[in-house]
Amino acid sequence: MSLHQLVYISQASYQMSKEELLDLLTQAKANNARIDVTGSLFYNGGWFMQVLEGPEATLRKLVATIQNDPRHHDFRLLYNEPAQYRTFVRWSMNMTNLEDPQVDKYEELVDVIEAAKTGRRIGSLSPAVTLLRLFSH
């Protein structure tokens, strides 16, 4: 099995409620557990950023499904690389709603999403690599 990590950003088709985000999380947890995928989803100001980890072929199929989901558009793949280990090993899916400023690492995560939206680097790193590093420590 070839482990891969990918990160994408997309814009929500509409402002999602907390209940809709919770439903999305519940669905993703069940689906990902079944196909050996782990990761985390971040939501801020109508934008999603998601990290997915798992077998390369599985991620390829999952991304095709995600790209066709009508809940979002402007899908941009930021990172898709082999990985030696999973960063989000504890979660089939985790979600961080950055519209709640009490979230751990709030400022850093908002900066990562803003950088990804505009194509800006953070220091010398891409937003995707910065995001992975935030959680690998």
Side-chain angles (χ1 to χ4, degrees):
M1 171 184 87
S2 157
L3 180 65
H4 267 242
Q5 288 177 318
L6 67 81
V7 178
Y8 74 84
I9 190 168
S10 64
Q11 187 170 10
S13 298
Y14 57 92
Q15 192 70 27
M16 297 187 80
S17 69
K18 288 182 181 182
E19 293 77 20
E20 288 171 308
L21 290 170
L22 184 57
D23 288 345
L24 178 64
L25 175 62
T26 301
Q27 179 184 10
K29 280 182 176 181
N31 291 341
N32 291 354
R34 230 181 8 263
I35 59 174
D36 190 30
V37 169
T38 55
S40 193
L41 177 64
F42 305 90
Y43 181 79
N44 186 48
W47 285 85
F48 294 104
M49 178 177 266
Q50 186 168 27
V51 178
L52 295 169
E53 306 169 316
E56 181 181 15
T58 301
L59 291 183
R60 197 174 322 112
K61 290 177 191 172
L62 182 56
V63 165
T65 300
I66 290 170
Q67 285 179 303
N68 291 316
D69 190 319
R71 292 175 287 196
H72 67 145
H73 57 90
D74 195 18
F75 179 98
R76 288 183 262 161
L77 188 61
L78 303 176
Y79 182 85
N80 186 6
E81 297 291 332
Q84 292 183 357
Y85 59 89
R86 294 176 190 253
T87 300
F88 298 96
V89 69
R90 296 181 302 163
W91 303 309
S92 60
M93 185 51 55
N94 179 56
M95 182 180 291
T96 303
N97 185 348
L98 293 169
E99 294 184 349
D100 174 8
Q102 302 305 312
V103 171
D104 185 35
K105 302 180 184 182
Y106 175 80
E107 294 295 330
E108 296 98 330
L109 290 168
V110 168
D111 190 41
V112 166
I113 290 176
E114 290 302 314
K117 285 168 37 179
T118 61
R120 173 175 57 85
R121 295 181 85 67
I122 301 171
S124 63
L125 300 175
S126 73
V129 171
T130 303
L131 177 65
L132 292 168
R133 286 192 175 179
L134 275 172
F135 287 92
S136 65
H137 299 94

